[in-house]
Amino acid sequence: MRLRLPEKTKLHFVLLSPEFEAPKKKMRAALPSEIGMSHHVWNCSQAGALVASVMDGDLVGLGKAMSNDKIVEPKRIPLVPGMEGVKKAAI
């Protein structure tokens, strides 16, 4: 299925590719070995909220959906120089 953005949507998407090497072993080691079901359910709900927000042009909802990861980002953000500032600017 192909989704089309509504014409009223005024979102701009930016892809950043920093000059930063993230060693796979180090990045994986930062993640917990076990993740509770509640965190999985939460992250899945945020993925749906992200898509719905993009389709509706809901910038507030999009910002919330982008900011609520409970599994990966809390552990990896400290390992990526400048990531917090980039994320704040995006939101």
Side-chain angles (χ1 to χ4, degrees), residues 34-90:
E34 292 186 19
I35 300 164
M37 181 61 77
S38 63
H39 283 3
H40 281 294
V41 170
W42 175 259
N43 273 23
C44 287
S45 74
Q46 294 309 294
L50 187 141
V51 172
S53 297
V54 168
M55 297 305 296
D56 288 343
D58 175 7
L59 298 179
V60 173
L62 180 59
K64 287 179 182 178
M66 287 175 49
S67 302
N68 286 317
D69 176 13
K70 291 189 176 188
I71 299 171
V72 177
E73 281 191 18
K75 302 295 183 184
R76 286 189 175 166
I77 280 184
L79 303 176
V80 181
M83 181 63 185
E84 259 185 77
V86 169
K87 189 172 172 184
K88 284 180 185 176

